[in-house]
Amino acid sequence: MKTNSTNLGLVTKKFNDFFLVDFLNQLNSDNSDKFLCKVKKSINFKDQLIYVGDKVGIEKIDFRSKRAVITSLKKRKNLLVRPSVANISNIYVTFSVDEPELNLSQVNRFLISAESMGVEVSLVLTKCDLISDKRRSYLLDKFKKWGYQVITLNPQKSDCFKNLLAELKQKECSIFIGPSGVGKTTLLNMIIPGLHNSTAPVSKKIKRGKNTTRNVELFSISNQSYIVDTPGFNMQPLEVDIKLLPNLYSEIYKQVIEEGIKCKFRNCLHLMDEGCNLNKSFERYPFYKEMIESSKSHYYQNQED
Ligand SMILES: Nc1nc2c(ncn2[C@@H]2O[C@H](COP(=O)(O)OP(=O)(O)OP(=O)(O)O)[C@@H](O)[C@H]2O)c(=O)[nH]1
Ligand SMILES: [Mg+2]
Ligand SMILES: [Zn+2]
């Protein structure tokens, strides 16, 4: 049976010119139906690409072969550039406490990059079975000072996965990002019944993940909630607009916005002591300074080009 009316779909996976699309208005179809779609030839979305997470209009739906054609792209709320995912509501920055070793500078880069999206950001620490309770408390304490209430996961404690799933079901579209090998796919396999996506041990020689997940993929966990698995990567020093950077650090935001401290110069970047009233005795200050300096050199380089 074919239908020519337009239906709303959600892009869950993308490869070459093809898209896997979930039906959103379930006409003759249950939620598990995925349609293989191409973009209608005559359509040009003003050079806009379509990404996982995009809502699209689909037509020429063939229920037997599970094929359809994308004919329109709905306006998106936001677009994360790396990895490319549209319409996210929550970012879960995911790191393992060991194997691969926890790299604080990378954690910070991921967090700040996530914060620059203006959505809710959470920090997940996996593989807590590999550390002592004392070390776990130490890490919880550290990240609390960074402004994050950490979610810790330990495969020997199933409650933590149940709690995380319950939380995710309250959100619209949550994305897990972090380096390769930290256990993003393992975590999704734990919480989505029947999901057995590929995972791989961390390389013993180079102590890094093996880039097992190659595609961004979105999974439904309830009628209204989705979660996204992504390929792991390491984050380069940031290129976020310098003026925005101070407010992305909760330690600075609190002092400037909540406590109302005033520096001599408006738009003070809190680097020099002259006229700066920011209390710089917080752990992430060296990371902040490094980030401002690399954003600055990037900024000036572009001015010269
Ligand atoms: N001990 C322990 N090992 C874990 C845990 N979670 C994941 N692993 C192992 O870590 C390895 C990497 O897990 P993956 O789920 O493939 O990691 P990933 O983040 O998806 O990696 P990429 O797809 O490469 O980005 C696998 O061998 C998992 O079995 C955990 O909680 N504890
Ligand atoms: Mg993976
Ligand atoms: Zn200042």
Side-chain angles (χ1 to χ4, degrees):
M1 185 192 112
K2 267 191 185 178
T3 168
N4 275 331
S5 59
T6 305
N7 282 274
L8 191 61
L10 174 69
V11 177
T12 64
K13 198 168 176 177
K14 171 177 175 171
F15 34 96
N16 303 326
D17 289 342
F18 286 98
F19 301 88
L20 270 188
V21 177
D22 269 3
F23 245 102
L24 285 177
N25 47 352
Q26 295 182 16
L27 170 92
N28 278 344
S29 151
D30 69 44
N31 212 15
S32 61
D33 275 354
K34 286 193 187 296
F35 286 76
L36 186 65
C37 299
K38 269 192 132 179
V39 175
K40 190 174 175 184
K41 279 206 188 79
S42 57
I43 297 217
N44 173 359
F45 297 128
K46 293 186 191 120
D47 292 331
Q48 281 216 71
L49 295 174
I50 297 176
Y51 295 103
V52 168
D54 266 326
K55 290 187 178 153
V56 291
I58 50 176
E59 289 179 25
K60 296 205 169 127
I61 299 155
D62 185 334
F63 288 100
R64 228 186 354 205
S65 66
K66 296 266 163 57
R67 284 182 175 248
V69 176
I70 296 176
T71 53
S72 61
L73 170 63
K74 306 292 168 200
K75 195 171 180 296
R76 55 174 78 107
K77 273 196 300 203
N78 56 35
L79 176 67
L80 183 67
V81 175
R82 194 179 180 207
S84 299
V85 186
N87 298 318
I88 50 183
S89 62
N90 290 73
I91 301 178
Y92 287 81
V93 171
T94 311
F95 273 79
S96 52
V97 291
D98 203 359
E99 296 181 15
E101 209 171 85
L102 190 63
N103 176 330
L104 294 178
S105 163
Q106 279 291 327
V107 177
N108 184 56
R109 284 179 194 174
F110 269 92
L111 287 172
I112 297 301
S113 167
E115 294 290 359
S116 73
M117 287 292 295
V119 299
E120 203 185 322
V121 178
S122 308
L123 177 59
V124 177
L125 292 181
T126 62
K127 310 196 189 183
C128 288
D129 53 312
L130 300 178
I131 54 167
S132 64
D133 282 348
K134 196 169 155 211
R135 169 89 178 143
R136 181 176 163 275
S137 307
Y138 165 82
L139 291 172
L140 287 184
D141 202 41
K142 171 189 289 295
F143 292 119
K144 197 167 173 197
K145 289 189 198 127
W146 288 25
Y148 297 90
Q149 202 77 43
V150 181
I151 299 164
T152 58
L153 297 178
N154 178 341
Q156 285 152 19
K157 296 183 178 162
S158 60
D159 271 3
C160 54
F161 293 95
K162 273 191 211 140
N163 296 342
L164 176 59
L165 181 59
E167 176 177 319
L168 293 167
K169 283 184 174 170
Q170 306 294 313
K171 322 282 182 189
E172 258 175 84
C173 184
S174 304
I175 174 172
F176 288 83
I177 58 169
S180 177
V182 300
K184 300 177 295 297
T185 305
T186 304
L187 147 61
L188 263 71
N189 285 343
M190 296 280 282
I191 61 176
I192 301 179
L195 191 70
H196 302 287
N197 279 349
S198 299
T199 65
V202 170
S203 149
K204 287 221 163 47
K205 214 160 84 190
I206 54 168
K207 298 202 163 93
R208 276 206 310 253
K210 293 181 184 152
N211 295 101
T212 312
T213 304
R214 297 284 177 171
N215 290 300
V216 170
E217 188 165 2
L218 187 149
F219 301 94
S220 163
I221 50 169
S222 77
N223 266 349
Q224 303 294 327
S225 300
Y226 299 88
I227 51 181
V228 186
D229 191 12
T230 66
F233 65 98
N234 281 322
M235 185 78 80
Q236 296 307 308
L238 279 175
E239 293 161 15
V240 173
D241 181 353
I242 286 192
K243 290 194 289 300
L244 299 178
L245 267 177
N247 282 341
L248 302 180
Y249 283 78
S250 76
E251 303 92 321
I252 302 179
Y253 181 89
K254 268 199 190 125
Q255 292 188 51
V256 176
I257 309 291
E258 292 175 13
E259 294 162 23
I261 64 139
K262 293 261 180 309
C263 301
K264 182 169 165 194
F265 301 106
R266 216 163 47 91
N267 299 335
C268 177
L269 288 174
H270 317 300
L271 290 185
M272 313 296 183
D273 281 335
E274 196 217 327
C276 178
N277 284 320
L278 186 85
N279 178 354
K280 303 179 179 69
S281 60
F282 57 92
E283 191 182 280
R284 282 202 294 175
Y285 185 72
F287 288 150
Y288 166 75
K289 204 169 147 193
E290 181 195 60
M291 220 174 243
I292 291 274
E293 273 155 9
S294 68
S295 302
K296 244 185 184 168
S297 62
H298 179 259
Y299 177 77
Y300 289 122
Q301 228 169 14
N302 280 355
Q303 297 273 301
E304 281 163 18
D305 286 347

